[in-house]
Amino acid sequence: MSEKISLSAPVIAIDGPSGSGKGTLCQKLAQHLGWHLLDSGALYRLVGMAADKHGCAFDDEAAIAKLAANLDVEFVAGEPGEPTRVLLEGEDVSGDLRTETTGMLASKVAVLPAVRSALLGRQRDFAQAPGLVADGRDMGTVVFTSAPVKIFLTASAEERADRRYLQLKSKGDDVNLAALLGEIRARDKRDSERELAPLKPAEDAVQLDSSGLGIDEVFDRVLAEVNARLIGL
Ligand SMILES: Nc1ncnc2c1ncn2[C@@H]1O[C@H](COP(=O)(O)OP(=O)(O)OP(=O)(O)O)[C@@H](O)[C@H]1O
Ligand SMILES: Nc1ccn([C@H]2C[C@H](O)[C@@H](COP(=O)(O)O)O2)c(=O)n1
């Protein structure tokens, strides 16, 4: 049984594997509700990039945890209509942050218990009024165990690879569908099989398979769940 921490604001915890649509859904929910947004994967991605930049061995837990605890990151709002820029140690890493290569670096540092513990408080600090929509792998099982709404969003690996292919292709990247599917499966395996905070649904999570569902359909179903669960809070 996981420890229940008290929350200073309601949290909607959305977990699931890579490409299931968590980021898209969380952004829409946060915008709709006027709540804060936590992209916990971005924190792990930044730690993975920092470890790579500093030439850390991926089993050097102490060195990587130190980077995680002292993560020098700045989010710089762009001009209207322009995306936020992310600066890691003063360097603009926005272009590389969301790549599959960075996702794999993140997945590697995420197996290290000291790294997870270094990022825990930073993630919990995001739970501020009026509320938080939290996107990750362990939002419902570890970080926000008392969240009144927990969703575990999935889709088949094939559909997630198709989505990622379209996403990267539309940005003009040179992509290979079979390679993407392989990377997604490898990341699923590492994220689900790690000892600490593995990717899995919380016991009290609502599970939603988004295969064959459009973005709006997923949003409507989750919003109905949110409205049902948050009544009376
Ligand atoms: N229900 C859906 N139907 C079709 N495409 C979708 C759906 N949900 C999301 N997408 C698209 O799939 C791609 C991946 O979505 P998104 O980045 O939200 O996934 P994610 O779960 O946050 O992935 P990651 O964990 O790797 O960050 C995006 O291009 C997004 O527009
Ligand atoms: N709460 C989290 C969030 C992310 N991770 C790790 C595992 C993922 O493969 C990687 C990148 O996440 P993404 O940006 O694709 O959501 O980071 C985790 O372990 N726990």
Side-chain angles (χ1 to χ4, degrees), residues 35-98:
W35 284 16
H36 301 283
L37 176 65
L38 165 62
D39 175 0
S40 63
L43 295 177
Y44 286 95
R45 283 171 182 264
L46 287 161
V47 175
M49 286 177 126
D52 190 44
K53 181 175 169 177
H54 289 273
C56 297
F58 277 83
D59 57 359
D60 189 345
E61 185 165 359
I64 302 177
K66 198 167 165 193
L67 290 174
N70 301 294
L71 202 57
D72 172 7
V73 60
E74 209 183 327
F75 296 91
V76 184
E79 297 296 315
E82 294 291 318
T84 298
R85 288 187 304 128
V86 184
L87 306 185
L88 176 63
E89 297 169 2
E91 186 191 341
D92 190 340
V93 295
S94 322
D96 289 333
L97 189 63
R98 301 305 318 168

Side-chain angles (χ1 to χ4, degrees), residues 16-25 45 98 100 135 137 159 163-164 167 187 210 213-215 218:
S18 168
S20 56
K22 305 177 304 293
T24 308
L25 171 65
R45 283 171 182 264
R98 301 305 318 168
E100 203 45 48
D135 164 354
R137 302 290 186 291
E159 176 141 352
R163 291 176 184 176
R164 191 68 83 208
Q167 182 181 31
R187 196 133 72 90
S210 71
L213 298 180
I215 291 173
V218 172

Side-chain angles (χ1 to χ4, degrees), residues 45 95-104 168 171 173 187:
R45 283 171 182 264
D96 289 333
L97 189 63
R98 301 305 318 168
T99 64
E100 203 45 48
T101 305
T102 305
M104 203 60 102
L168 295 174
K171 286 196 330 189
D173 291 2
R187 196 133 72 90

Side-chain angles (χ1 to χ4, degrees), residues 14-19 22-23 38-45 97-100 102-111 116 119 123 135-139 143 164 187-188 190-191 194 196-199:
I14 314 254
D15 292 304
S18 168
K22 305 177 304 293
L38 165 62
D39 175 0
S40 63
L43 295 177
Y44 286 95
R45 283 171 182 264
L97 189 63
R98 301 305 318 168
T99 64
E100 203 45 48
T102 305
M104 203 60 102
L105 294 177
S107 178
K108 286 183 184 171
V109 298
V111 302
R116 303 200 73 83
L119 293 179
Q123 294 173 82
D135 164 354
R137 302 290 186 291
D138 61 344
M139 299 295 98
V143 183
R164 191 68 83 208
R187 196 133 72 90
D188 283 356
R190 185 180 291 107
D191 293 348
R194 68 177 174 230
L196 191 63
L199 166 68

